[in-house]
Amino acid sequence: MKYGFDLDQLEMFRLVIERGSLSRVAEDCGITQPGVSKSIRRLEQGLGFKLFERIRGKTTPTHEAMLFYETVKATLAGATRLAERAREIAENKVGSLQIISHPFGAVTVLPAIIQEFRLTHPDVHIRVQTANSPQLSELARTNAFDIGLAEPPLDKRSLRTSLHSLKCVCVMLADHPLASSSFVTLKDFAGFPFVVSARDQPFHLSLRQLFDKEGITWNPAVEVDMGAMEVELILRGIGIGVLDELTAAKHQSRGLVARPLRPAPRYEFLVFQPNRQASLIASDFTKLLKARFRAVHHKDEDASNS
């Protein structure tokens, strides 16, 4: 659809109405008075009716001009908001982000990333849906999300995935006998009760395989299927445990002590996205997420080399 005017002409018309003279508009806008007059004439030609008359040397709006003025004000306000919205979208500052995650990601990884993301994207609506691994596989198949975190294995069909891992440490209370050691070996677990994740969880299997490889008797005192409960039991002195370094660091202020574990297992998880073009917002969030993992990985390398 074609119109007999453009936004610049409408803005010039608004200014003449509000400031009362062509010369004042010209001075304020840094253009010539003939330039203002030319813009008004072109607008009148496009509209098909006269906007201003010269009465006793003064530019006076016509009745039709005043009827038109109210709509012009609303139109220009809408155009300004439209331009602002376009800028916000281009700068990834508005929109929504749908995240699905297993409990570890939702509790340990995502809060810090969301906090950082909100500093530059305060108007983005974020929804985090937490589910266990089987449910995540079902959710992933719907493609009704932007970013996901899950423990492997995961059906990777129609997904883009990246595998990440965190070094694990031995955790205990400060008054535990092993807390005085500079590091802990699997042999040190003998004689101490320890708390582990449930046997149907991937990390339980990988930790047990490490014990078997080292020839250490596997005899956990308590198995739980919630990482939060595992931490709470360790903090109550039920036993020692093996946690990823981010979870361990998060609970240091509550009295949890972490010691390097040799050999150190790694906790593995996947970051995944639908196999489609990611939104600009999702791309920004993913960059922060992966930057966090790189920082932790480099810290691990520095510690190993020192």
Side-chain angles (χ1 to χ4, degrees), residues 11-292:
E11 176 64 12
M12 196 64 66
F13 165 71
R14 181 188 70 81
L15 290 173
V16 174
I17 289 285
E18 293 177 358
R19 299 181 187 181
S21 74
L22 276 66
S23 58
R24 183 173 177 184
V25 171
E27 181 180 354
D28 291 346
C29 295
I31 59 177
T32 64
Q33 184 171 326
V36 176
S37 299
K38 184 177 180 180
S39 178
I40 296 297
R41 283 197 304 272
R42 285 182 175 176
L43 179 58
E44 290 175 331
Q45 291 168 1
L47 295 172
F49 56 83
K50 195 171 184 61
L51 295 171
F52 295 97
E53 295 178 332
R54 296 288 293 179
I55 299 177
R56 292 189 293 275
K58 183 178 179 182
T59 300
T60 304
T62 64
H63 175 70
E64 291 77 13
M66 294 310 299
L67 291 176
F68 188 52
Y69 170 66
E70 294 302 324
T71 303
V72 167
K73 278 202 306 182
T75 299
L76 291 175
T80 299
R81 180 56 190 143
L82 191 65
E84 291 173 351
R85 190 68 169 182
R87 176 182 55 79
E88 290 170 348
I89 293 171
E91 296 175 357
N92 314 331
K93 291 184 176 179
V94 296
S96 62
L97 189 65
Q98 175 80 19
I99 304 172
I100 58 177
S101 175
H102 62 324
F104 164 79
V107 173
T108 302
V109 176
L110 290 176
I113 306 301
I114 291 173
Q115 180 185 28
E116 184 177 359
F117 182 79
R118 291 278 297 169
L119 294 175
T120 53
H121 301 72
D123 296 321
V124 172
H125 175 75
I126 302 171
R127 180 170 186 255
V128 179
Q129 185 174 359
T130 305
N132 58 31
S133 294
Q135 290 173 323
L136 285 174
S137 293
E138 291 296 323
L139 290 170
R141 279 193 281 271
T142 69
N143 278 345
F145 70 98
D146 297 298
I147 301 167
L149 282 80
E151 288 183 325
L154 183 73
D155 186 352
K156 298 180 182 180
R157 290 174 294 181
S158 77
L159 297 175
R160 292 181 288 114
T161 66
S162 58
L163 181 65
H164 302 273
S165 68
L166 295 169
K167 184 177 64 177
C168 292
V169 293
C170 182
V171 293
M172 66 213 75
L173 291 178
D175 60 357
H176 193 278
L178 293 179
S180 60
S181 304
S182 57
F183 65 90
V184 175
T185 69
L186 295 184
K187 291 180 180 179
D188 294 326
F189 277 65
F192 295 114
F194 65 100
V195 184
V196 297
S197 57
R199 64 189 63 195
D200 61 345
Q201 296 183 7
F203 186 66
H204 178 107
L205 179 60
S206 62
L207 186 59
R208 178 163 188 170
Q209 289 173 339
L210 190 59
F211 268 73
D212 291 342
K213 183 180 178 181
E214 296 292 313
I216 310 299
T217 301
W218 175 259
N219 188 29
V222 184
E223 293 183 22
V224 296
D225 60 5
M226 291 177 58
M229 185 177 182
E230 187 177 355
V231 171
E232 292 302 320
L233 289 173
I234 297 169
L235 284 169
R236 289 175 180 271
I238 302 301
I240 60 177
V242 178
L243 300 176
D244 69 276
E245 57 188 331
L246 289 183
T247 302
K250 179 181 177 182
H251 294 282
Q252 277 185 339
S253 62
R254 300 180 63 196
L256 204 65
V257 172
R259 293 292 179 261
L261 182 60
R262 299 180 183 176
R266 300 193 73 88
Y267 176 77
E268 293 187 336
F269 58 98
L270 294 164
V271 174
F272 59 95
Q273 294 177 271
N275 193 20
R276 63 170 185 258
Q277 182 66 41
S279 70
L280 297 175
I281 290 171
S283 295
D284 281 357
F285 192 90
T286 304
K287 288 176 185 175
L288 287 178
L289 194 61
K290 293 184 176 180
R292 176 75 184 275

